[in-house]
Amino acid sequence: MIRYPYNELEFTFSSSPDETYEADFLIGLYRSMLRIRMIQEAIESRYHEDEMKTPIHLVIGQEATSVGVCAALRTTDQVYSSHRTQGNYLAKGGSLKGMMSELYCRLNGCAGSRGGSMHLLDKSVGYAGSSAIVGGSVPIATGAAFGAQYLKKDQINVVFFGDAATEEGAIWESINFAALKSLPVLYICENNFYSVCSSMEVRQPKVDIYKKAGAFGVNSCRIDGTQVLNVYEATREAVKIARSGGGPTFIESVAYRWRGHGGAGDDSASGYRDPEEVKAWQKFCPIDGLYKDLMKKNLFDETRNSSMKKEIQDEIEEAFQHAINSPNPEEKDLSTYVYSD
Amino acid sequence: MPWAEALITSKAAGQEVAEEGRVLAYVDALHEALTLALELDPKVFVLGQGVNDPRGMFGVTTDLYKKFGEDRVFDTPLSEEGLTGICAGAALNGTRPVYLHNRPDFLLLTFNQLVSHASKFHYIDNGQNNVPMVVWSAIGRGWGSGSQHSQAIQGFLLGVPGLKIIMPSTPYDAKGLMLAAIADNNPVLIFDHRWNMKAKGVVPEGIYHIPIGKGVYRRRGEDLTIVGTSHTLALALEAMEDLDKEGISADVIDLRTLKPLDEEIIFESLKKTGKILIVDTGPAMAGVCAEIGCLVAEKGFHDLRGPVRRIGLPDSPIPAGFTLEQYYFPDKDRIAKVIREMVSGA
């Protein structure tokens, strides 16, 4: 049984058909999504080696949300995430080597092997951190927005979280405060219908998530999260509002999680969802969709696609080697940075 | 006037300040600390439910918003968890929030952000970020405050790495520790006590810091060591005034900070007296008393000449009613009784 059919979803915002983009911009979006996909697949293929001793939460199928949102941001804008970090981190420009070293628990990991896969950060590109507690980053990002407003910094603050985070009280406390103070914050709800193995229907009444946010007086919309331009344009609009002092926007971006909640592979055979549902959503791949579109418009070709893949593959291999050959922390590293001076 | 308020007021009225200098009430010392911090650093802001109301958080924040504006001193929604995270996020982004609560009981709503986020970021960010924020609250007691408005939760938080916990007992320390906490680059909790709020003491003008993590002797003596903080320490000092007449003397140590803990001063005194009584406003079980007791057993065993004793709250909820409350909370007579037992070896 397909519990959540793609075709039955209703969206309140979609990209404008009249909008024209430079080819390089579109190819850039494609490359960014493809790169995230290939990195995820590489991690997945080597996860069984047990050398990446950290949980992994793959974002395969949902790449368009990360890429579309981050394409509308500046480097100085701040991004926070939930446990499913990798797409957000990479789309914002986080160092791949830093991430791979973190997954391999190395001293030179982006969080010095103290964060693991669920707490990546790269301050140099405005990827500000994440929380392994569902919803935990939402107040933090709201506070970042408050800090930016207080210090009169031109800084947009974005937080990615899943559908289940909207079952946590503190996110509504945050949205209430953000609306009250007109904070420059974007709430990006990546709705993939499942919290680990629990479907939406056992967790929430049938009220659209974006409508709940709307009830707090914030701008809100639901978009097709398999279409990167939808995500980009919705975010661009939200950013414009926030930069001009118009306050927060809540974007519910719907896209399916092709893999299990954590670890490698799809676990739908375990019975919590129908493997047919996964297959059905795979027809709406954000990367294939954009690729076909680019081909149709003669903006791209197979040769360029192959060389792009080769380039990404080389980068990935280099990052793995970097991580594998990096030193482990030592016992003396354990007790540093408990307190700040 | 509620009896608790009347008691606090009457005690303060009878209090004599022996030292020379400007005398301030505890609450005014705190108010002055916040004023000075707000004047000094535009990155400091003060928030909390009720900070701008006419009662101004017992008087700690009265009219601050009139001087500094409602952008810097503002009333909040009741969203304790959300706002703790918001403070942490603002602190990560270059500001210095001071978040005030009427009672520590409300901090129980904030543990996700306090324990799993604010206190962790510096470490899990590998030192790349810090969270300079202060969370202040005042422990209640009396007039029906009961099980949900009188809890002292410092013991619950003692085992949380990355936090600092301050519990002053004098106006001088309250001001100096508040200023030190605001200047500190870590999340700092300050637990004041409602019953200390009207106590008077000499308070210097201007900015000064009391070092976080340093205890101080309030009395010197021979027969035993008493360690504690805040209101319970004040009760212990009252008990010692009575026991003075019986020829009993004690080192009374005001720890002022529970985390980091000044172990040195505890062991220095214990070496001399060989006996230790730990007093705390929170539960005796698994709290401050338990931790210090264990520390003494572990590192000071050979200096001990009698059993470790502790006076905290019983392992039962705090009753609301007047009569039950008299049985529940320690007072100076109960503390004196335990001290007599310790000295006589009974």
Side-chain angles (χ1 to χ4, degrees):
Chain A
M1 183 196 71
I2 295 178
R3 201 183 271 131
Y4 301 110
Y6 175 83
N7 293 325
E8 285 179 19
L9 291 166
E10 286 171 16
F11 302 111
T12 65
F13 178 97
S14 48
S15 54
S16 158
D18 305 328
E19 178 94 35
T20 53
Y21 291 99
E22 299 281 333
D24 283 352
F25 176 75
L26 296 174
I27 292 167
L29 295 178
Y30 171 74
R31 188 184 194 282
S32 183
M33 288 194 293
L34 178 69
R35 179 171 173 268
I36 292 169
R37 173 77 53 95
M38 289 173 67
I39 291 166
Q40 301 275 285
E41 287 172 346
I43 290 167
E44 188 177 31
S45 71
R46 298 176 76 155
Y47 196 56
H48 70 275
E49 293 168 3
D50 289 340
E51 290 301 322
M52 287 175 269
K53 298 183 198 320
T54 185
I56 52 168
H57 300 86
L58 302 174
V59 73
I60 292 174
Q62 299 175 241
E63 297 89 342
T65 304
S66 293
V67 170
V69 168
C70 292
L73 301 176
R74 298 174 187 161
T75 305
T76 49
D77 295 333
Q78 301 293 303
V79 165
Y80 294 84
S81 300
S82 191
H83 55 283
R84 204 169 299 284
T85 48
Q86 296 176 20
N88 307 153
Y89 171 92
L90 293 166
K92 191 66 172 65
S95 154
L96 176 60
K97 285 181 179 169
M99 181 179 105
M100 290 317 305
S101 281
E102 192 64 25
L103 298 190
Y104 275 90
C105 314
R106 299 300 199 244
L107 183 62
N108 60 359
C110 59
S113 194
R114 286 134 181 271
S117 69
M118 293 190 283
H119 186 72
L120 303 176
L121 87 157
D122 188 340
K123 287 181 79 172
S124 68
V125 295
Y127 185 83
S130 57
S131 171
I133 306 286
V134 169
S137 291
V138 177
I140 303 293
T142 309
F146 183 81
Q149 186 188 63
Y150 184 85
L151 298 173
K152 299 182 169 58
K153 281 197 276 191
D154 182 11
Q155 171 188 308
I156 302 297
N157 306 274
V158 179
V159 58
F160 291 92
F161 51 92
D163 43 281
T166 68
E167 291 143 28
E168 297 285 358
I171 102 151
W172 301 112
E173 296 180 0
S174 302
I175 290 170
N176 176 65
F177 188 76
L180 182 73
K181 303 281 180 188
S182 291
L183 298 182
V185 55
L186 273 50
Y187 297 102
I188 312 294
C189 176
E190 298 189 75
N191 182 359
N192 62 21
F193 309 109
Y194 292 91
S195 169
V196 190
C197 301
S198 310
S199 66
M200 285 280 280
E201 64 189 23
V202 301
R203 299 183 285 114
Q204 298 186 18
K206 285 188 169 44
V207 177
D208 293 328
I209 293 173
Y210 77 95
K211 286 183 185 162
K212 297 177 194 173
F216 282 80
V218 307
N219 313 297
S220 74
C221 61
R222 172 192 259 180
I223 57 169
D224 181 349
T226 69
Q227 304 278 338
V228 69
L229 287 175
N230 276 346
V231 182
Y232 170 71
E233 288 183 24
T235 309
R236 191 179 57 181
E237 185 63 25
V239 166
K240 203 164 90 185
I241 293 168
R243 279 204 211 283
S244 61
T249 296
F250 185 104
I251 298 174
E252 179 189 350
S253 180
V254 184
Y256 200 79
R257 189 188 79 206
W258 293 9
R259 298 295 194 262
H261 158 73
D266 171 26
D267 57 353
S268 53
S270 66
Y272 71 92
R273 64 182 186 187
D274 191 333
E276 289 305 315
E277 187 174 78
V278 182
K279 281 188 202 152
W281 276 85
Q282 285 171 344
K283 290 183 193 131
F284 304 96
C285 172
I287 301 168
D288 285 353
L290 184 59
Y291 177 73
K292 283 176 189 147
D293 207 39
L294 289 171
M295 294 293 275
K296 202 162 71 190
K297 290 177 181 157
N298 285 321
L299 298 173
F300 203 50
D301 56 58
E302 275 177 39
T303 320
R304 284 180 73 185
N305 196 36
S306 304
S307 62
M308 184 184 280
K309 283 185 176 171
K310 170 79 174 57
E311 200 179 276
I312 295 170
Q313 200 53 55
D314 290 347
E315 186 201 0
I316 292 171
E317 192 47 41
E318 195 189 327
F320 269 91
Q321 289 313 315
H322 166 84
I324 289 162
N325 296 323
S326 291
N328 282 313
E330 294 172 36
E331 192 169 355
K332 68 177 170 54
D333 299 311
L334 191 61
S335 53
T336 52
Y337 305 129
V338 175
Y339 289 111
S340 174
D341 294 336
Chain B
M1 191 188 289
W3 72 266
E5 208 60 30
L7 179 71
I8 299 163
T9 306
S10 69
K11 264 197 174 178
Q15 186 193 353
E16 285 173 26
V17 179
E19 294 164 82
E20 296 272 312
R22 185 183 62 145
V23 175
L24 276 191
Y26 198 100
V27 69
D28 297 325
L30 285 169
H31 189 275
E32 187 169 273
L34 291 180
T35 305
L36 289 166
L38 284 159
E39 277 171 357
L40 177 74
D41 187 351
K43 296 192 292 296
V44 173
F45 64 87
V46 173
L47 71 164
Q49 203 268 313
V51 298
N52 293 0
D53 76 19
R55 296 209 286 187
M57 204 63 94
F58 311 107
V60 176
T61 59
T62 308
D63 289 345
L64 284 176
Y65 74 97
K66 290 183 183 164
K67 184 168 183 191
F68 297 101
E70 289 185 68
D71 288 343
R72 298 192 63 201
V73 182
F74 56 91
D75 209 333
T76 63
L78 273 71
S79 317
E80 289 88 352
E81 185 195 344
L83 277 154
T84 303
I86 286 166
C87 285
L92 285 165
N93 280 269
T95 64
R96 292 184 174 272
V98 183
Y99 187 12
L100 283 79
H101 299 266
N102 246 296
R103 293 282 192 280
D105 307 69
F106 307 133
L107 293 189
L108 294 170
L109 290 159
T110 75
F111 270 30
N112 177 38
Q113 286 298 328
L114 200 59
V115 177
S116 295
H117 294 84
S119 60
K120 301 284 190 282
F121 284 131
H122 182 64
Y123 186 86
I124 65 175
D125 287 354
N126 204 26
Q128 297 174 74
N129 287 310
N130 53 32
V131 185
M133 65 186 269
V134 176
V135 177
W136 180 93
S137 58
I139 300 165
R141 167 174 170 172
W143 201 251
S145 291
S147 63
Q148 296 163 339
H149 271 54
S150 331
Q151 295 178 87
I153 64 166
Q154 60 274 11
F156 303 176
L157 292 157
L158 220 48
V160 178
L163 282 182
K164 294 187 178 181
I165 303 174
I166 290 172
M167 291 190 68
S169 73
T170 68
Y172 176 86
D173 285 351
K175 178 181 167 184
L177 282 164
M178 173 64 88
L179 284 164
I182 296 172
D184 199 275
N185 284 329
N186 299 280
V188 182
L189 299 175
I190 301 176
F191 293 109
D192 274 314
H193 198 288
R194 205 179 145 206
W195 284 34
N196 283 342
M197 288 293 176
K198 290 187 181 171
K200 287 173 294 188
V202 169
V203 178
E205 303 203 26
I207 290 175
Y208 62 90
H209 291 182
I210 302 289
I212 296 173
K214 279 275 169 226
V216 66
Y217 289 103
R218 295 291 182 212
R219 282 180 82 110
R220 300 305 302 260
E222 302 300 325
D223 299 319
L224 80 159
T225 299
I226 303 171
V227 297
T229 58
S230 189
H231 177 60
T232 326
L233 193 89
L235 292 177
L237 285 166
E238 283 178 32
M240 283 313 300
E241 270 171 40
D242 290 353
L243 292 168
D244 218 10
K245 295 163 204 142
E246 299 172 26
I248 295 174
S249 72
D251 273 352
V252 181
I253 298 169
D254 184 348
L255 291 167
R256 303 193 289 192
T257 307
L258 291 175
K259 193 178 173 74
L261 183 66
D262 186 352
E263 294 184 19
E264 207 176 302
I265 193 169
I266 298 173
F267 291 118
E268 178 186 80
S269 173
L270 180 68
K271 203 174 246 329
K272 181 182 73 180
T273 66
K275 292 179 179 176
I276 187 163
L277 167 66
I278 309 138
V279 297
D280 187 44
T281 56
M285 177 185 269
V288 174
C289 296
E291 176 57 30
I292 296 174
C294 180
L295 204 63
V296 166
E298 190 176 54
K299 296 187 189 172
F301 184 76
H302 298 291
D303 292 324
L304 281 173
R305 294 200 296 271
V308 173
R309 296 293 300 267
R310 52 183 163 160
I311 296 178
L313 302 183
D315 189 22
S316 64
I318 303 168
F322 177 79
T323 310
L324 288 174
E325 219 173 41
Q326 305 314 302
Y327 296 120
Y328 185 85
F329 284 108
D331 58 14
K332 68 167 179 161
D333 293 336
R334 220 164 296 158
I335 293 173
K337 184 170 171 281
V338 171
I339 293 170
R340 281 190 204 99
E341 286 168 11
M342 289 176 74
V343 172
S344 70

